[in-house]
Amino acid sequence: MSAANLRFLHDQLPAFSTAAGLTVVLAVLSMVCAMAWGLMLAAPAMSRRAWLRYPATAYIELMRNTPLLIQIYVIYFGFPLIGLNYSSFTCGVIGIAAQHGAFLAEIYRAGIQSIDRRQGEAAHALGMTRVLAMRLVILPQALARVTPMLTNQLIVLLKDTSLLASIGVLEMTLTAKMIIERTGASFQVFVLVALAYLAMTSALGLLARALELRQARRR
Amino acid sequence: MVPFDVFFANLPYLLRGALVTLQIGAIGVVGGTLAGFALGVAGAMAGRAVRALVAVYVFIVRGVPILVWMFMGYFGLPLLGARLGGFLAVNIVLVAYTAAFVCEIVRGAILAVPRGQIEAARSLGMTGGGILRLVILPQAVRESLPPLVNNSVMIVKQSAYVSIVGVWELSYAAREVVERTMAPFSIFIGVMFLYFLICYPIAMSAQCLEKRYARGHAQKE
């Protein structure tokens, strides 16, 4: 890269840091929402009552087997028709949480079902209610067991925030595209973006690794 | 209720888009699996330098969103002197991206073959190529088949993203139709079901494979 190129990239840094900040905010917010939504989905998906289980599993399968892009379009372009005028940012968070919640629900379920049934029965025998047993006995163990899958999914989520470029959220990917369109710069802008994403996903990956190690030590 | 007659009126046009989606998906699955298999074998069995190169490739490719790679391919590949259409550029990106994921699946499956088997094969007088072909690959392929099939679902879903960089397929066609008809709900939900019709059978067959192989394992033990 020539000096002029570097100088050009340097001039774009303020716009970039704002965009990178937005990507991080988007990712963190979506992660929290998706994890909560996943839990709320996992419960009915494992229910013994068919009228709870079928709608939940149907939703999970639909979300898992269709592109996130189309789901975001349904929300962003469709919601105003039913009187819900959310910003593109909000629509993006809802869309990401809607899909990743479904993936996370499956991960939670795998974790919960891997815990010995008798533990729940023992907790019941000690007088715990089913909810309490789930919260204090089953869920902590289940979550520890699926931590690698969970963090992996969250890294995918982080990368998926780039899709919100398609509905006009000014995160890193769209910012890069606009700089190219405005200044006629070449694709080197995207090299910078790629490096930023790489740094973010690596940081999340390292965090996940540290979490796993801590859990392993505790056991 | 959402009036789905708009969707059905535009179904022929959307189905043409779905055909392109299937085409891109097939290129991604076949190309990505072949390239990824080669990478995975190299990543598990080649010399240290090659293994490190493969690891770096996988790390860089998987750490960046595919959309960013698509933009890079779309804007960047022509600059490298390659006179490609956008369609070819995004397909190259999809194959290269998929290859990194396939590589990890295959590499993991190869490394899961117990080392004792390789030593046993060697003591029987088999050489590297023979061990790979007759001992390792048959087990590794079997082990990696269900996740590879599952991976195809991801490829089809990711093929939708090429519409953002401007390649015409199902998602792009959906946006065109919505602009014309102003019926986002029925069109996008309808298109969602078209994707579901492609992806769900693939996901189901992956699940069937998993169950069948799990049974095989249980019998062996």
Side-chain angles (χ1 to χ4, degrees):
Chain A
M1 254 184 239
S2 68
N5 278 345
L6 281 178
R7 162 126 208 100
F8 170 78
L9 285 181
H10 182 261
D11 290 342
Q12 310 301 330
L13 278 181
F16 259 132
S17 50
T18 316
L22 192 58
T23 290
V24 171
V25 171
L26 260 177
V28 171
L29 216 67
S30 308
M31 280 175 197
V32 173
C33 293
M35 284 196 278
W37 179 228
L39 270 184
M40 286 195 274
L41 280 172
M46 291 188 306
S47 169
R48 255 171 272 152
R49 298 187 189 89
W51 61 272
L52 279 172
R53 196 175 62 241
Y54 284 130
T57 42
Y59 170 86
I60 289 173
E61 291 302 332
L62 185 64
M63 287 292 126
R64 277 162 35 107
N65 289 294
T66 51
L68 178 54
L69 182 66
I70 301 293
Q71 295 161 11
I72 292 172
Y73 283 166
V74 169
I75 293 166
Y76 182 70
F77 295 107
F79 272 21
L81 291 191
I82 50 173
L84 298 170
N85 284 304
Y86 296 142
S87 68
S88 53
F89 180 92
T90 311
C91 288
V93 173
I94 297 174
I96 292 176
Q99 183 179 63
H100 285 271
F103 277 101
L104 289 171
E106 282 294 288
I107 295 174
Y108 292 140
R109 181 160 76 155
I112 292 169
Q113 283 172 346
S114 77
I115 304 295
D116 197 328
R117 239 169 210 296
R118 281 170 295 186
Q119 291 203 28
E121 285 160 19
H124 193 68
L126 288 170
M128 286 192 195
T129 60
R130 276 188 60 178
V131 177
L132 201 62
M134 181 57 83
R135 197 161 59 93
L136 295 179
V137 180
I138 314 257
L139 213 47
Q141 299 182 69
L143 288 183
R145 217 170 268 191
V146 294
T147 305
M149 287 199 274
L150 215 116
T151 49
N152 211 11
Q153 188 65 36
L154 294 183
I155 291 173
V156 177
L157 186 155
L158 172 64
K159 291 191 287 173
D160 275 353
T161 58
S162 64
L163 283 181
L164 302 190
S166 65
I167 57 168
V169 179
L170 266 173
E171 41 66 75
M172 286 203 292
T173 309
L174 183 57
T175 305
K177 192 183 164 224
M178 285 179 66
I179 288 174
I180 287 182
E181 277 166 4
R182 205 179 53 228
T183 65
S186 64
F187 80 113
Q188 43 182 272
V189 180
F190 274 110
V191 175
L192 201 64
V193 174
L195 285 176
Y197 275 116
L198 201 58
M200 287 181 192
T201 49
S202 309
L204 198 54
L206 285 177
L207 211 69
R209 206 60 213 116
L211 194 68
E212 273 168 52
L213 282 178
R214 219 185 65 176
Q215 280 173 353
R217 235 181 295 135
R218 222 189 263 165
R219 225 169 279 143
Chain B
M1 219 22 232
V2 184
F4 275 102
D5 43 343
V6 190
F7 170 69
F8 287 111
N10 289 286
L11 193 54
Y13 187 68
L14 293 170
L15 282 179
R16 267 201 288 143
L19 220 59
V20 180
T21 287
L22 282 175
Q23 208 180 329
I24 298 173
I27 294 172
V29 170
V30 174
T33 305
L34 288 178
F37 226 94
L39 273 181
V41 171
M45 313 194 58
R48 189 180 285 167
V50 177
R51 286 206 314 263
L53 272 179
V54 171
V56 168
Y57 176 80
V58 170
F59 170 72
I60 292 177
V61 168
R62 297 214 310 177
V64 177
I66 188 169
L67 185 59
V68 173
W69 288 125
M70 281 177 177
F71 274 124
M72 275 210 251
Y74 197 79
F75 290 118
L77 280 179
L79 291 184
L80 298 175
R83 281 177 57 97
L84 312 166
F87 184 80
L88 198 56
V90 294
N91 271 303
I92 290 174
V93 170
L94 192 62
V95 166
Y97 196 75
T98 305
F101 283 81
V102 171
C103 168
E104 281 305 276
I105 295 172
V106 172
R107 202 176 63 95
I110 289 176
L111 293 179
V113 175
R115 277 211 63 83
Q117 289 194 18
I118 299 167
E119 281 153 23
R122 210 167 272 146
S123 73
L124 286 172
M126 289 173 82
T127 52
I131 296 175
L132 180 67
R133 200 160 46 84
L134 297 173
V135 180
I136 299 175
L137 282 188
Q139 300 180 69
V141 167
R142 189 184 142 110
E143 191 72 30
S144 54
L145 205 53
L148 281 181
V149 174
N150 241 332
N151 204 42
S152 320
V153 175
M154 197 184 79
I155 297 168
V156 173
K157 291 195 295 176
Q158 281 170 345
S159 76
Y161 308 166
V162 305
S163 67
I164 303 175
V165 298
V167 173
W168 191 85
E169 40 66 84
L170 181 52
S171 298
Y172 200 102
R175 281 199 73 155
E176 283 178 338
V177 172
V178 167
E179 265 163 38
R180 211 169 51 229
T181 60
M182 302 306 250
F185 254 134
S186 51
I187 298 298
F188 284 136
I189 290 179
V191 165
M192 212 160 127
F193 273 99
L194 287 183
Y195 274 109
F196 187 77
L197 285 181
I198 300 173
C199 291
Y200 193 61
I202 306 178
M204 280 291 96
S205 49
Q207 232 175 57
C208 282
L209 278 175
E210 237 164 77
K211 266 189 203 139
R212 232 178 75 188
Y213 287 168
R215 207 167 52 212
H217 276 302
Q219 278 167 354
K220 248 190 298 178
E221 277 155 17

